[in-house]
């Protein structure tokens, strides 16, 4: 179910610790959602939507962290 968290770590051009820490926190949230059982199509939809929004938030967080580069 859902989106694997591992690809969130692939892009860290400057190999920055702060970017890695940020991405790690978002990956933990995705992993937590992946452990949920899908008892209904509605819950599956909510989990998938949450994962998409976490990925979007992670992208914006990394942009904010690296803005002055």
């Amino acid at each position: 179910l859902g989106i694997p968290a591992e690809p969130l770590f692939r892009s860290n051009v400057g190999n920055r610790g702060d970017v890695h820490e940020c991405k790690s926190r978002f990956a933990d949230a995705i992993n937590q959602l992946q452990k949920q059982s899908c008892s209904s199509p509605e819950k599956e939809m909510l989990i998938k939507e949450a994962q998409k929004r976490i990925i979007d938030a992670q992208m914006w967080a990394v942009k904010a962290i690296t803005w002055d580069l």
Side-chain angles (χ1 to χ4, degrees):
L1 166 76
I3 301 161
E6 186 272 327
L8 292 175
F9 289 107
R10 287 194 183 144
S11 178
N12 185 356
V13 177
N15 199 26
R16 293 176 49 142
D18 53 353
V19 170
H20 177 77
E21 180 182 351
C22 176
K23 288 184 173 194
S24 178
R25 290 179 185 191
F26 284 102
D28 288 344
I30 288 176
N31 289 336
Q32 181 180 5
L33 288 172
Q34 288 177 334
K35 293 176 185 174
Q36 296 292 311
S37 61
C38 289
S39 53
S40 68
E42 293 82 7
K43 185 168 182 178
E44 182 176 359
M45 184 270 306
L46 289 171
I47 291 170
K48 287 180 179 181
E49 184 64 28
Q51 289 173 330
K52 289 177 188 176
R53 290 178 185 237
I54 290 167
I55 291 170
D56 188 49
Q58 179 253 300
M59 177 194 70
W60 285 104
V62 169
K63 283 182 184 230
I65 290 168
T66 61
W67 182 256
D68 292 332
L69 294 181

